[in-house]
Each structure stands twice: as C-alpha cells, then as structure tokens.
C-alpha cells in the first residue's frame, strides 16, 4: 500500500513538472537576440543599442503551423570606401534582395508556416581606423508575432512526456531499493554540467579538438590522425603524447555523431557527474553516516572546481571521478582484503593512470599506500591468515595491474618524446636546495585558503576570475573535518602495539581509514607541486574530491552531536550560504566567463573552417593562418574536408624533439604565415564568435596562377 502511494505521488509530481515545462516552452518568444548567430557584441550610442553583423545572420524561429510576422530594424552605415551593401533574405528559398539605407529602417516580413530560421546574407567591409572587424549591417531590434500551433514546443513536450514519467518510475524503484540518494545526486550533478554546454565555455579548446579528431580517425580507420594503430599507452596528439582514456571514452559517440564539440563535452559532463554518487559511496564506506555521505555527494555535485573542469572535454575532467573511484576501491580493499576487492582496486587504479598525467604519479602512490595499510591491517588482525595465502589471493590483481600499466611503462621508457609536456612544465632550479624550496612553496599552496576561496590558480582559462576554486561558506565544515582526521590519527599513534582492535572504539568501524585519509591528503597535491605553475586547477584536480570529503567529515561530526538546534540551525545557515554563493558564481560563470574565454578558445573558428571546407572545391589551395590561429590543422581535420584515411596519408608532420609537432600541410590545406598578405583582400565571409567577439575571415587570393582561399583571424 505504501509503495503504491509513493508511486502515485511521484507520478503526480512528474505530471506537474511536465506541465510546468510545457508552459515554459509555450511562453517562449518565437525569436530572441540570444539565439541569433553572426552578430558582434552589442554597442550603444545615446539610448540606442545595436549590433553589427558579419556576412551572415542566422535567426532561429520557433516553428508554428501558421505564418509568422517577423519585424526587423536594421541599417547599413557607410564610410567613404564602402559601396552600398546588398542584403539577401532567405528561408529555405530566397525571399528578397534589399539595399538597406544608412539610417535605421523597419522591415516587416511575413514568413511561411513551419519556418525554422531566417538567413540574412550581406557583403562586408573593414571600417577605417583601428577596428579589426569586417562589418555587414547593423541590427537594432527584432521580434515576431507567430500564428497557429507552436510545432516545436508540441514536439518537444511530447518527447519529454515519456522521459519525465520514466524518470519518476526509476526514482520510485530506486527508493524501494535504497538507491534514491545516489540517483538524485547524479541527476543534481548532471544539471549544472549540461545546461548551456554548447556555448559555455564558448569556442573550442585545442586539447578538446585533438581527442575528438583522434577518436574520429580511430573509428574510421583504426589509427589516430597521425597514423598510429590503436595506441594504448598514449596518443601522440600535438607531439606531447597525451593520456588516452578520454579518447577511447569518446570513441563510440564520435563514431555515431562525428567529431562534434557537444559530443566530447557530453562525455566529460556525464563522467564528471558520476563523481557525486561515487563520493557518496566513499563517504559511507569511510563510516561518515548518511549526513556525511549526502554532504560529500552534494559538494561534489555542486563544486565550482569540478563543474568548471567537467564542462570541457579535456583529460583532467576525468580526474575527480577516477580518483574517487580508486579511493573507494582502496578503502574497500583495506576492509576486506580478498581476491575480488584486490581485482577491483587493480581495475580502478589501472584505468585511473590513463586519465591525466597527474594520476600517473598519484595512482601508484595511492596503490602503494593501500597495500601498506592492508598489510598492516592483516598483521593487526587477531585471526589473520597465513601470509602466503594472502599473497596468492592478491597475485591475480597484481598481474592485472601490471598488464594494465604495461602500455604506459612501455611508452615512458622507450619513447623519449613522451616527456615533452613534462619537460616544458617540470619544476627547475639552479640547486637542490632551491628546488626543494620551490617545490615546498608549490605544495603547501594547496593547503592555503587563497587558492580555495579567493583566487583559485589565477588563470582565466581554468577558473572564473574573482572566485576561488570552492565556496568559502564550506570553510567551517572543512576545518572541522581536518580536525577530526588529525584527531583520529593522533589517537592512532597513542595506541599500544598489542592493543586489540575492540579496545579502540572507532578502529572497529574505521580500522585504518584515518591513516588512509591522511595519506590521500598528502599524496593528492604532490604531482602538481613538481610542475610549474603551482597551484594549477587541472593538475591539482585530485584535491577536489578530498575537499568534498573533508566537508562531509565536518557534516558527519555536526550530525553526531545529538543537539537538534545545533544540527538544524548550523546546517540551515551553511546551506543558505553555500547556495547563495553558488548562485553568484554560476551567474558569473554563465554571463561573464564566456566573454573572457571567447578569444582564448578561438570562438567562431570551427564555424569558419566548416564554411571554408564547403568553398574549397572551387580553389586550388586553402591557406590557413598559423600566425593568427593556434594549431589550425586540428580545426581543419575536425571540419572533415576528406576521409580520415586520406588525411593520414597527406598530412605532413615536422617532429621536433622536446617541442610540439609542426604540421605544414594536409593535402590542399596549407598552414602559412599570412602576415605579409594584404589585409583588404576580397572577403567572402566574416564570422564573429558566438559571444560577439571578433572572429575570422575567409578571403580570396591569387598567386602564380592559383586561386587560393585564405582563412585568418581578424
């Protein structure tokens, strides 16, 4: 009876949520400036706000069964060298050719039913002065008056209906099976990792592209983009031989959908979200109780540090999840110490090694710590089995771990180029004493509040400026957690060697866990400390789960006090403080951070090169600028100008020991210095970034009788 009542309540809630979602979709405007592409950032003169365009404006329109009235206010300002621009308006077919005046004019268009977008094409020119942009027309305002049924909203609502009710049934099942908390934590963690994933962060980072290009090449040919067959220890990538796990995780999805930005980010978002339920399970295994476990999972789900990392398809996005998984396997092994738990530890540590260079050092240290504590626990056990029996039980796991780590060992020992990235980032000093001082400074910074609550690592590429890696409202619980860990380890030191476990109350439950937690705290920042700069949000990522665990320890202590006023009062204050801070951070991350990231991530380049690939058949060569575009060949390969097998055959690589590879050509695509080319070449396309930043241009050039397409930054 109770189960039937529970299911009915969940289904009613699902229906309410679905109706709210439908209401939201039905009230969406038919057009919005936020969804229009091809515009530069907004500018203002007096009371008028306007936006210049590139050569093409795409206005998405919510489809309706009846005609849609679209209103545009635009102009085409002139300067002496600029002729009157032509403007072409089209949907699936051409609607009109216009020559907009220099002053603002109101245009009223009646679009046919089921129209999904309006396209505006115009000529562009570069204005006099220091403005580097190529400009088309000025758009002041737009709005639409649709008629008929909102087809897009109806289709989306019908699609969501079974999804919402299936989620309610799954939640009902998980509650009855005791899995509700990890399931809800997973959903909560996934939401901030997937909302707006296509445009925040904007653009496409180079290290995101290379993994996707390798995955696409593997899916099509069984070789990476440089021709290596199924690399296991590392991918050559840019010549820095990167960790391979992310590429293999992306492989099945890239095979289905191609090397798309959202494919890679979707993989890391899901993997990153799994850190929350794993943190919950780890906290429970550590004996932190339900309050401590839920708090740990919530901190992992909503951690600004972990969210920022997992929203980009980069190898460090895997670190919090796989580091937590390895810790969970380690704790389980210390408790049980049988063959099965040893194999689970070998699997977790075996794969963790291939996530990111940080774990190439941290994972072996963690395995060594776990084995030492497991041996210590065996030695202290009153009814311990014979050592030979223990070794025989653990031996298969040892062979499995050696097998999993063998490709990494082979690449490290027999491929000198595999140390390229480490050679550039390794900590160096003139003497051993100076090196130790520099290392210590880079190590202790991970135990100082500035990194967590004020500046993070100071890089706008890896964190939101003005915010720390975490939220300072969690500081009281972190301090309590640290005190609890230290207190339990101090108590450990005071225990007589011959004291039975039952004489030490918490050891019967936690056994050697205080030493394990202290060991992981000391191990986690070590790999990052031997590189520069330090702190570093990516290399220091193993500290993110440790931070969440300490907060969970603090919450566990709080809820052990058996004082309702203290428990609920302090918990409410901390929860309100954390949510308030998180809201401020999220607003900065989604509203301010994209504008900071746009230029760094070469926002608009992928769209530009896709258009260049579509035009390339009419030209003898395509010159892509390497002086205004970083690593341009990767973006060319991502645009799929040719089959991967042909690209592998035609790519020309200059391998330089200790430095990244230089790619000079991929078939008709040449990567050249365009600095000496004239600026005002005939311009076919000017593509702003999605955030409105200055983007890239496609131009024409003739040399030695060849027609050449030129792609370069503005």
């Amino acid at each position: 009876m109770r189960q039937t009542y529970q299911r009915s309540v969940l289904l009613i809630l699902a229906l309410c949520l679905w109706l709210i979602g439908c209401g939201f979709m039905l009230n969406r405007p038919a057009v919005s400036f936020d969804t229009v592409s091809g515009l530069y950032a907004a500018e203002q003169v007096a009371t008028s706000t306007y936006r210049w365009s590139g050569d093409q404006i795409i206005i998405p329109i919510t489809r309706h069964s009846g005609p849609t009235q679209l209103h545009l206010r635009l102009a085409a300002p002139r300067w002496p060298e600029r002729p009157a621009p032509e403007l072409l308006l089209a949907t699936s077919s051409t609607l009109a050719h216009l020559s907009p005046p220099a002053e603002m004019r109101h245009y009223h268009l009646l679009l046919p039913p089921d129209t999904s977008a309006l396209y505006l094409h115009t000529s562009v020119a570069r204005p006099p002065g220091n403005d580097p942009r190529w400009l088309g027309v000025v758009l002041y305002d737009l709005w639409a008056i649709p008629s008929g049924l909102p087809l897009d909203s109806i289709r989306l609502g019908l699609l969501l209906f079974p999804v919402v009710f299936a989620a309610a049934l799954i939640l009902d099942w998980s509650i009855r099976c005791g899995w509700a908390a990890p399931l809800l934590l997973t959903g909560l963690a996934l939401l901030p990792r997937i909302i707006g994933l296509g445009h925040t962060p904007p653009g496409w980072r180079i290290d995101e592209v290379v993994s996707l290009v390798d995955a696409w090449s593997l899916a099509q040919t069984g070789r990476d983009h440089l021709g290596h067959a199924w690399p296991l220890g590392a991918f050559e990538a840019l010549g820095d031989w990167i960790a391979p796990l992310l590429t293999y995780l992306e492989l099945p999805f890239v095979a289905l959908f191609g090397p798309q930005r959202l494919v890679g980010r979707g993989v890391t978002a899901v993997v990153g979200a799994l850190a929350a339920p794993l943190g919950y399970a780890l906290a429970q295994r550590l004996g932190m109780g339900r309050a401590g476990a839920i708090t740990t999972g919530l901190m992992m789900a909503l951690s600004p540090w972990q969210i920022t990392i997992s929203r980009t398809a980069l190898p460090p996005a895997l670190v919090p999840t796989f580091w937590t998984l390895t810790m969970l396997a380690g704790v389980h092994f210390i408790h049980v110490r049988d063959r099965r738990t040893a194999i689970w530890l070998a699997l977790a540590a075996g794969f963790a090694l291939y996530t990111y260079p940080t774990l190439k050092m941290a994972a072996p240290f963690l395995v060594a710590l776990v084995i030492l504590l497991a041996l210590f626990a065996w030695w202290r056990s009153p009814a311990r089995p014979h050592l030979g029996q223990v070794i025989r039980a653990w031996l298969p796991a040892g062979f499995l771990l050696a097998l999993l780590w063998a490709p990494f060992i082979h690449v490290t020992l027999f491929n000198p180029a595999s140390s390229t990235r480490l050679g550039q980032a390794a900590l160096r000093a003139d003497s051993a004493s100076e090196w130790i001082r520099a290392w210590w400074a880079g190590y202790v910074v991970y135990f100082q509040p500035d990194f967590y609550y004020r500046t993070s690592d100071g890089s706008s590429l890896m964190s939101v400026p003005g915010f720390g890696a975490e939220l300072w409202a969690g500081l009281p619980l972190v301090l309590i957690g640290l005190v609890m860990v230290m207190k339990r380890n101090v108590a450990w030191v005071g225990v007589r060697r011959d004291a039975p476990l039952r004489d030490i109350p918490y050891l019967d439950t936690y056994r050697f866990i205080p030493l394990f937690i202290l060991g992981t705290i000391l191990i986690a920042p070590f790999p990052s400390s031997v590189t520069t700069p330090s702190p570093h949000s990516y290399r220091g990522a193993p500290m993110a789960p440790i931070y969440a665990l300490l907060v969970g320890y603090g919450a566990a202590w709080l809820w052990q006090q058996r004082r309702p006023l203290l428990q609920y009062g302090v918990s409410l204050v901390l929860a309100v403080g954390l949510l308030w801070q998180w809201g401020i951070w999220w607003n900065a991350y989604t509203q301010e951070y994209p504008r900071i990231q746009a230029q760094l991530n070469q926002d608009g380049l992928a769209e530009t090169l896709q258009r260049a690939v579509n035009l390339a058949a009419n030209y003898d060569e395509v010159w892509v600028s390497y002086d205004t575009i970083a690593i341009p060949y990767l973006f060319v390969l991502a645009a799929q100008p040719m089959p991967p097998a042909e690209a592998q055959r035609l790519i020309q690589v200059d391998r330089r020991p200790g430095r990244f590879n230089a790619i000079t050509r991929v078939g008709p695509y040449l990567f050249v210095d365009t600095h000496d080319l004239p600026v005002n070449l005939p311009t076919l396309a000017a593509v702003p970034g999605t955030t409105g930043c200055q983007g890239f241009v496609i131009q024409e050039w003739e040399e030695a009788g060849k027609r050449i397409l030129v792609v370069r930054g503005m």
Side-chain angles (χ1 to χ4, degrees):
M1 186 70 180
R2 181 180 177 182
Q3 292 180 358
T4 304
Y5 175 75
Q6 173 185 287
R7 181 177 297 175
S8 300
V9 170
L10 290 174
L11 290 174
I12 291 172
L13 287 175
L15 178 62
C16 293
L17 288 174
W18 180 74
L19 291 173
I20 292 171
C22 289
F24 173 77
M25 289 184 290
L26 291 172
N27 285 314
R28 286 186 307 168
V31 296
S32 170
F33 252 122
D34 294 336
T35 61
V36 176
S37 61
L39 299 175
Y40 294 101
E43 302 175 55
Q44 190 164 354
V45 173
T47 58
S48 297
T49 300
Y50 62 92
R51 298 180 69 172
W52 279 99
S53 78
D55 74 293
Q56 177 179 266
I57 305 173
I58 302 176
I59 304 175
I61 300 171
T62 303
R63 288 186 290 183
H64 284 72
S65 60
T68 297
Q69 299 180 42
L70 182 65
H71 297 260
L72 300 173
R73 288 178 179 169
L74 55 83
R78 316 282 203 272
W79 47 86
E81 298 83 6
R82 187 186 191 189
E86 293 292 325
L87 182 64
L88 169 66
L89 286 75
T91 53
S92 55
S93 58
T94 300
L95 295 180
H97 288 271
L98 304 173
S99 182
E103 298 78 23
M104 182 181 67
R105 178 168 292 182
H106 182 181
Y107 293 91
H108 178 194
L109 290 80
L110 186 64
L111 304 179
D114 205 27
T115 298
S116 60
L118 177 68
Y119 301 87
L120 284 73
H121 302 271
T122 182
S123 57
V124 293
R126 190 175 183 182
N130 297 322
D131 191 339
R133 300 174 301 172
W134 292 78
L135 305 177
V137 297
V138 170
L139 183 61
Y140 289 92
D141 198 5
L142 77 162
W143 68 96
I145 304 174
S147 63
L149 297 174
L151 300 178
D152 285 342
S153 298
I154 292 173
R155 287 167 185 158
L156 184 57
L158 292 175
L159 179 65
L160 288 177
F161 184 82
V163 174
V164 171
F165 279 85
L169 293 175
I170 292 172
L171 182 58
D172 172 61
W173 168 83
S174 67
I175 292 172
R176 287 186 280 110
C177 296
W179 289 88
L183 183 67
L184 289 173
L185 285 170
T186 304
L188 180 64
L190 195 57
L191 282 176
R193 286 165 171 80
I194 62 172
I195 294 174
L197 197 56
H199 54 78
T200 304
W204 214 357
R205 294 188 184 175
I206 294 165
D207 290 332
E208 290 185 279
V209 184
V210 71
S211 293
L212 289 166
V213 166
D214 275 334
W216 174 246
S217 188
L218 279 173
Q220 299 297 310
T221 68
R223 297 177 179 272
D224 68 7
H225 78 276
L226 294 175
H228 303 289
W230 295 105
L232 295 177
F235 281 88
E236 184 177 1
L238 306 176
D240 51 347
W241 296 88
I242 64 172
L245 184 58
L246 176 59
T247 301
Y248 283 108
L249 291 175
E250 293 172 336
L251 178 58
F253 306 100
V254 170
L256 290 173
F257 304 108
Q260 304 298 320
R261 177 173 51 195
L262 274 178
V263 172
R265 291 183 179 179
V267 169
T268 55
V270 171
V271 173
L274 293 177
L278 287 172
Y280 173 86
L282 176 59
Q284 281 201 319
R285 195 65 188 173
L286 292 172
M288 291 162 55
R290 189 170 181 81
I294 291 176
T295 302
T296 301
L298 286 173
M299 291 305 296
M300 288 192 170
L302 301 177
S303 162
W305 191 356
Q306 296 192 43
I307 291 172
T308 303
I309 290 177
S310 58
R311 285 178 65 93
T312 51
L314 302 174
L318 307 179
V319 170
T321 298
F322 279 87
W323 182 244
T324 305
L325 178 63
T326 307
M327 287 194 293
L328 177 59
V331 171
H332 195 45
F333 177 67
I334 293 171
H335 277 301
V336 182
R337 303 187 299 279
D338 64 359
R339 177 171 296 180
R340 178 178 294 181
T341 56
I343 289 175
W344 280 115
L345 175 62
L347 287 171
F351 287 109
L353 189 83
Y354 294 101
T355 57
Y356 190 57
T358 293
L359 293 194
K360 293 178 181 179
M361 186 181 297
F365 282 167
L366 183 59
V367 170
L369 172 68
V370 168
I371 292 174
L372 285 174
L373 292 178
L375 288 172
F376 194 26
W378 164 81
W379 180 60
R380 294 294 301 271
S381 176
R384 59 178 178 267
H386 190 272
L387 181 59
Q389 185 179 351
V390 172
I391 293 175
R392 284 193 297 273
W394 296 357
L395 200 57
F399 283 127
L400 176 60
L401 188 62
L403 180 65
L404 289 172
W405 284 359
F408 160 72
I409 295 171
H410 179 269
V411 169
T412 303
L413 295 180
F414 300 104
N415 184 358
S418 65
S419 62
T420 297
R421 181 83 71 164
L422 178 62
Q424 295 177 353
L427 183 64
R428 290 182 173 84
D430 294 332
S431 65
S433 60
E434 290 181 5
W435 189 94
I436 291 173
R437 282 196 295 270
W439 164 77
W440 180 248
Y443 183 79
V444 298
V445 74
Y446 289 101
F447 302 98
Q448 297 173 352
D450 277 1
F451 172 70
Y452 294 97
Y453 307 120
R454 292 187 59 194
T455 60
S456 186
D457 60 5
S459 168
S460 61
L461 188 66
M462 295 177 281
S463 57
V464 181
F467 291 84
E470 298 287 357
L471 304 175
W472 58 260
L475 178 59
L477 294 179
V478 171
L479 294 177
I480 294 172
L482 277 172
V483 170
M484 295 304 297
V485 170
M486 298 306 298
K487 180 180 177 181
R488 286 172 176 166
N489 278 284
V490 168
W492 235 112
V493 175
V495 173
R496 299 194 320 272
R497 179 178 177 180
D498 59 345
L501 290 176
R502 62 179 177 271
D503 292 343
I504 311 162
Y506 54 81
L507 284 185
D508 190 45
T509 304
Y510 302 116
R511 295 185 178 267
F512 301 88
I513 297 311
L515 286 174
F516 173 80
I517 294 298
L518 180 61
T520 56
I521 291 173
L522 297 176
I523 289 170
F526 181 77
S528 179
S529 67
V530 297
T531 61
T532 185
S534 186
H536 193 279
S537 292
Y538 290 171
R539 297 178 196 138
M543 284 298 293
I546 302 295
Y547 180 91
L549 275 177
L550 291 175
V551 175
Y553 257 115
W557 174 87
L558 181 64
W559 281 84
Q560 289 170 358
Q561 301 311 299
R562 307 294 182 186
R563 298 176 184 174
L565 182 60
L566 178 66
Q567 291 173 340
Y568 291 101
V570 174
S571 298
L572 179 61
V573 170
L574 291 176
V576 170
L578 284 168
L579 289 175
W580 171 68
Q581 273 194 292
W582 191 87
I584 295 174
W585 172 83
W586 178 255
N587 182 69
Y589 178 77
T590 55
Q591 302 301 319
E592 301 171 16
Y593 185 64
R595 293 193 292 271
I596 299 171
Q597 285 284 288
Q599 292 292 116
L600 297 172
N601 291 354
Q602 305 187 104
D603 189 17
L605 178 58
E607 295 80 3
T608 304
L609 281 171
Q610 189 62 65
R611 293 180 65 179
V613 166
N614 296 336
L615 295 170
N618 300 320
Y619 295 84
D620 299 303
E621 292 177 347
V622 180
W623 289 5
V624 186
S625 168
Y626 67 67
D627 55 303
T628 58
I629 301 172
I631 321 293
Y633 87 93
L634 283 176
F635 295 88
V636 170
L637 293 180
Q640 304 174 55
M642 61 193 74
E646 185 179 355
Q648 293 166 14
R649 181 175 57 84
L650 295 176
I651 192 168
Q652 296 181 8
V653 187
D654 179 15
R655 292 181 170 87
R656 302 171 293 181
R659 301 169 61 191
F660 290 168
N661 294 337
I663 309 298
T664 56
R665 182 169 191 157
V666 181
Y669 294 84
L670 283 73
F671 308 102
V672 301
D673 186 346
T674 58
H675 183 266
D676 293 331
L677 291 180
V679 173
N680 288 310
L681 295 175
T683 301
L684 304 179
V687 185
T690 57
T691 58
C693 65
Q694 66 186 56
F696 302 86
V697 293
I698 302 174
Q699 300 175 312
E700 290 182 313
W701 173 249
E702 288 192 12
E703 184 177 85
K706 294 181 179 179
R707 296 188 70 224
I708 299 167
L709 200 64
V710 178
V711 180
R712 58 183 175 182
M714 294 185 187

